[in-house]
Amino acid sequence: MQQCCDAYAQAGFGGVSVWRNVVAPNEGGVGLAEAVKIVKGSGLQVPAYVRGGFFPAADAAKRQEAIDHNKQVLDEAAALGAEQVVLVVGAVPGLPLDEARKQVANGIAACLPHAQQAGVKLSIEPLHPMYAGDKSCINRMAEAREICERLQSPWLGIALDVYHCWWDPDLEVEIRLAGEQGTLLGYHVCDWRLETRHLLTDRGLMGDGCIDIAGITQMVRATGFAGLAEVEVFSEQYWAMDQDQYLELIAQRCG
Ligand code: ZN
């Protein structure tokens, strides 16, 4: 984490979104106090702490457990100075998606007072439908918007990831609506490789694939979104590269 933050700051990047696995000791992380020290010392902004969510469950006790966990994640995000906690909302094989979405809305509603208290927003990240089986029952911006409209909280919004939403025929309309409703909280970029080799760890770097990133970025910026664009590339291929060279390549592709 220290190495990343030093290198990002030196390369002129404005921020770093922090994944919980590099923070939480039980996930192999450096511990919250150390993570806070590293991040604050770097001078980088923290657009997001990643990730909360996974609200749906077959029984009430597990749903409550998820709510409690999300409150803890919000507290950690506050300590890190993160603007938002990104929610991968969850899905349970066998549980109808519509029921799962209701449980997601209820779970988020139960966390919103805590979000306000922590001063950290919650952002629903719609995931590509290929994850509807077990990771996310929310797959389009429209479903995220419906929950935002229902819960009407300034502490709730949407994180748009081009990887998940680029194909959506309503994308332009939904980005505009999110802008109007003040719910566009995060913007993630990468690319969709043709002939994807793995559902999770084969994302492309901007320019490797077929997403009209410039076009989508233009729609996002037209709403007045002034946040950082977050480069989010899960890729065995790029992780295997020399990471200093990779950082240079990322900087080039951001240009
Ligand atoms: Zn994302």
Side-chain angles (χ1 to χ4, degrees):
M1 187 171 177
Q2 182 79 62
Q3 189 186 10
C4 284
C5 288
D6 288 348
Y8 297 169
Q10 204 179 354
F13 288 95
V16 59
S17 284
V18 179
W19 275 67
R20 192 162 188 267
N21 63 302
V22 299
V23 174
N26 64 348
E27 295 183 31
V30 296
L32 184 60
E34 180 68 11
V36 169
K37 206 174 97 186
I38 293 170
V39 163
K40 305 264 178 196
S42 72
L44 295 168
Q45 289 178 48
V46 184
Y49 189 45
V50 191
R51 59 197 186 188
F54 291 95
F55 292 106
D59 63 82
K62 287 224 171 66
R63 291 197 288 276
Q64 185 58 47
E65 218 173 272
I67 290 165
D68 294 341
H69 177 71
N70 276 277
K71 288 179 181 174
Q72 191 193 330
V73 171
L74 278 164
D75 289 339
E76 293 169 10
L80 288 161
E83 293 163 33
Q84 67 197 288
V85 165
V86 171
L87 301 175
V88 170
V89 297
V92 178
L95 186 71
L97 289 173
D98 205 38
E99 172 60 24
R101 285 182 202 118
K102 280 182 200 147
Q103 293 184 5
V104 167
N106 291 340
I108 291 173
C111 292
L112 281 171
H114 201 88
Q116 179 171 13
Q117 204 185 317
V120 177
K121 295 183 179 185
L122 292 171
S123 58
I124 302 169
E125 179 169 8
L127 296 201
H128 191 279
M130 69 182 172
Y131 297 117
D134 60 352
K135 283 197 176 63
S136 181
C137 59
I138 293 181
N139 311 105
R140 298 178 307 148
M141 285 188 77
E143 282 120 35
R145 171 173 54 77
E146 281 160 19
I147 292 182
C148 292
E149 285 174 346
R150 221 168 102 192
L151 300 181
Q152 289 292 336
S153 165
W155 298 94
L156 179 62
I158 301 168
L160 163 63
D161 188 323
V162 298
Y163 193 73
H164 298 302
C165 297
W166 68 279
W167 54 273
D168 184 347
D170 295 328
L171 187 61
E172 186 164 11
V173 172
E174 290 296 336
I175 289 173
R176 187 168 45 73
L177 277 172
E180 285 168 13
Q181 297 179 349
T183 53
L184 191 55
L185 302 183
Y187 180 48
H188 306 174
V189 291
C190 67
D191 213 338
W192 183 277
R193 270 178 39 82
L194 295 175
E195 303 186 22
T196 290
R197 295 163 293 192
H198 190 278
L199 293 187
L200 184 62
T201 56
D202 195 31
R203 290 189 181 203
L205 196 54
M206 297 78 76
D208 287 345
C210 57
I211 301 179
D212 175 19
I213 301 166
I216 299 174
T217 299
Q218 204 170 23
M219 294 174 204
V220 166
R221 294 300 179 195
T223 68
F225 177 82
L228 294 168
E230 300 171 49
V231 178
E232 186 182 39
V233 182
F234 307 104
S235 165
E236 297 292 348
Q237 183 184 319
Y238 284 117
W239 289 335
M241 230 181 116
D242 175 281
Q243 295 297 285
D244 291 320
Q245 286 174 8
Y246 179 35
L247 197 58
E248 275 174 36
L249 189 60
I250 292 171
Q252 282 169 23
R253 299 288 183 91
C254 285

